Each structure stands twice: as structure tokens, then as C-alpha cells.
Amino acid sequence: MAEEVLAVELPWLVWLPPEHRSEAVTELLDDLLAGVDTGYYLPFMRNLIAWKHTAEIHTDPSLVAQLTGPFQRADFSEVQRPGNTGVANGT
């Protein structure tokens, strides 16, 4: 029922695969209820934006294929940890 109500307010939910819609609705409602209780809505807003972008990705089958793999080990490279200057013990 919550999915139907949210689908009216968030029409982009239809772009999510059916198996992910209930997950999105559950996460959004949990964050919204926590926000109502605490007055802190940032987690809800972040999750809302993330799910909306995920739904937008699902409108492009080639992008979905690219992001879901399969991935080849040769496609990856090792990177340095951010802030790592290569100096041990910060000296």
C-alpha cells in the first residue's frame, strides 16, 4: 500500500525493476519516519536522491548492462589511498 501511495508522489519509482521498488519504498519510509521523530531529514534526502538516480540509470539498458557486468579483472587498476603521501608514520 505504501508503494502505491509513494508512486503517486514519486512517479520515477516505475523505472526501478519491480524487485527493487519495495526495497526503495521501505528505505525511504524508514528514513522519513526517523526524520519525523528527530527533525533530521538529511538521510532521507540523500536516500531519495540516490534512489532517483538509480531509477534514472534503469531507463538506459546499455548503462545498466555496463554497470552490472560482467567485469574483467583487467578493467581495474590499483589506486593509492586518498591522502597517502607514501611517508610512513606521518613523518
Side-chain angles (χ1 to χ4, degrees), residues 7-21:
V8 172
E9 296 300 319
L10 309 173
W12 48 262
L13 282 171
V14 299
W15 293 338
L16 289 171
E19 63 271 16
H20 295 297
R21 283 186 208 139

Side-chain angles (χ1 to χ4, degrees), residues 6 9-10 12-13 16 24 27-29 31-32 41-56:
L6 275 181
E9 296 300 319
L10 309 173
W12 48 262
L13 282 171
L16 289 171
E27 286 183 17
L28 291 170
L29 285 176
D31 284 342
L32 186 58
Y41 292 95
L42 186 58
F44 169 75
M45 293 305 297
R46 285 182 178 155
N47 215 2
L48 179 68
I49 292 166
W51 276 112
K52 184 174 182 181
H53 288 313
T54 301
E56 291 167 350

